[in-house]
Amino acid sequence: MFNHLSQLPADPILGLLSAFRADNNPNKIDLGVGVYKDEAGHTPVLQVVKEAEVRLLRSEESKAYIGPAGAAGFNAAIQQLALGAGHVVLADNRVRSVQTPGGCGALRVMAELIQRAKKGATIWMSDPTWVNHIPLFGSAGLQIKSYPYYDRDSSKLHFDAMVETLKKVGEGDLVLLHACCHNPSGADLSREQWQVLAKIAQKQGFTPIVDMAYQGFGDSLEEDVYGLRLLAASVPEMLLAVSCSKNFGLYRERVGMAMVLYSDGAAADRGQSQLTNVVRENYSMPPSHGAAIVESILTDAGLRANWEAELIEMRERINGLREGLVGRLKDAGAAKDFDFIRHQKGMFSFLGINPEQVHKLQRDYSIYMVDSSRINIAGLSETNMTYFCRALAAVIE
Ligand code: LMR
């Protein structure tokens, strides 16, 4: 049965991990997969997560099934973190959600819900977008189109072109947006640009679908959700995928949430019955442990304060690295202005070098990044920064 299956190439992001591990160069640098790293290059378990886990071990009384929607307390806590407790759509009882195995799980179940509502619907994605967005939605049967977003030549947002395209997108189509810390470009929309976008969504009648994997990594927990809160208040229907991988450091625990905003409470109940049915058909119900950690952190004032402090520390380290990188590249005599990196947000930026130069960095210097030249800023440190900057300057000279 399986003999005829062909060998697929490694995943463009995850495939870098094995190549990096196999490299014996002591100076090797991993700027590939998007995980936060500290100065020592480790991805630590947050202190607050350790504390919550200790409490959980003491208090957990059962491992019985939690059901397809996951824990109600987790869903409520994440809805409030994303939308704000007082958001009008919560008061209007128009929101339903399911706890999912990570942000990918959320995107996938939402894709299947969309398929049930409108088979083969078109979803518009930013050019570029996170590489896994395309197969996640495409393999569920949705049609993929793209809108201009980031201009690689000028290293700037292509907002006018984005607006021009979205003004032609109509009712029945979906538009995928990144809430903050755009992956892979790091180029985010300003408040004014979100306002323009919300007006276009309202006028055109398309359905926004927001992917939020980095709340708190951009400017702050509140500022990073400005756009999605505005959109939720402006349109009748919207979808939101949340990941807790980065901001709680819970990558392998697979914690996420798929949230759908419906036009009224009755539609919300019907939609939720479909969404939980999608979950049941796929993996029956989500794993509990990671979401229970998040719920206990968000519902305990002390733990929450500790989490926010650790989150600020991660964000400030990345922002410091952005500043440092721009300065060091200048010092290394790099034949390109990298100032744009200082203004971008979150874990990623494009260096804007070509695939040949990316391969040269890997081959000659053991510096690993995605072919598109996206780097994970958090993979840099005081220790490896000079080596990295000299190597990059040499490759682009
Ligand atoms: C990334 O973009 O590197 C992360 O979101 C990890 C992944 O699964 O691709």
Side-chain angles (χ1 to χ4, degrees), residues 12-33:
I13 295 176
L14 302 181
L16 286 170
L17 276 175
S18 41
F20 178 78
R21 282 187 192 129
D23 191 328
N24 293 322
N25 184 343
N27 294 323
K28 66 183 179 178
I29 309 178
D30 176 14
L31 305 178
V33 65

Side-chain angles (χ1 to χ4, degrees), residues 72-249:
F74 167 83
N75 284 323
I78 295 290
Q79 280 176 11
Q80 287 178 17
L81 186 66
L83 290 169
H87 200 288
V88 61
V89 294
L90 291 175
D92 287 350
N93 187 31
R94 290 167 48 208
V95 172
R96 299 291 182 275
S97 45
V98 298
Q99 172 196 325
T100 54
C104 276
L107 292 165
R108 180 61 192 209
V109 295
M110 293 192 318
E112 293 193 25
L113 180 73
I114 296 164
Q115 266 293 89
R116 287 186 180 196
K118 187 178 177 197
K119 209 172 166 56
T122 297
I123 176 163
W124 294 77
M125 299 184 181
S126 62
D127 175 21
T129 194
W130 179 47
V131 284
N132 209 30
H133 276 148
I134 298 159
L136 265 169
F137 286 96
S139 63
L142 301 188
Q143 302 301 310
I144 316 284
K145 288 192 179 165
S146 67
Y147 58 84
Y149 185 80
Y150 183 76
D151 180 26
R152 288 161 196 263
D153 293 333
S154 63
S155 303
K156 284 201 179 110
L157 205 69
H158 222 1
F159 190 65
D160 291 346
M162 173 183 180
V163 163
E164 274 322 296
T165 303
L166 295 186
K167 276 183 176 165
K168 293 179 201 128
V169 176
E171 209 176 317
D173 283 6
L174 297 109
V175 174
L176 179 64
L177 299 154
H178 300 222
C180 59
C181 306
H182 185 269
N183 180 2
S185 73
D188 280 354
L189 299 174
S190 66
R191 280 185 168 221
E192 293 69 31
Q193 289 168 332
W194 278 111
Q195 287 159 14
V196 172
L197 199 64
K199 288 216 171 77
I200 299 174
Q202 229 169 17
K203 180 150 184 259
Q204 295 301 114
F206 58 71
T207 305
I209 165 162
V210 181
D211 187 4
M212 179 160 67
Y214 299 92
Q215 186 179 1
F217 268 72
D219 289 309
S220 68
L221 280 171
E222 290 293 300
E223 191 57 31
D224 291 354
V225 287
Y226 173 82
L228 83 87
R229 287 182 182 175
L230 178 70
L231 276 177
S234 312
V235 295
E237 295 179 330
M238 179 179 131
L239 300 100
L240 171 68
V242 176
S243 166
C244 300
S245 293
K246 332 278 171 172
N247 53 4
F248 287 86

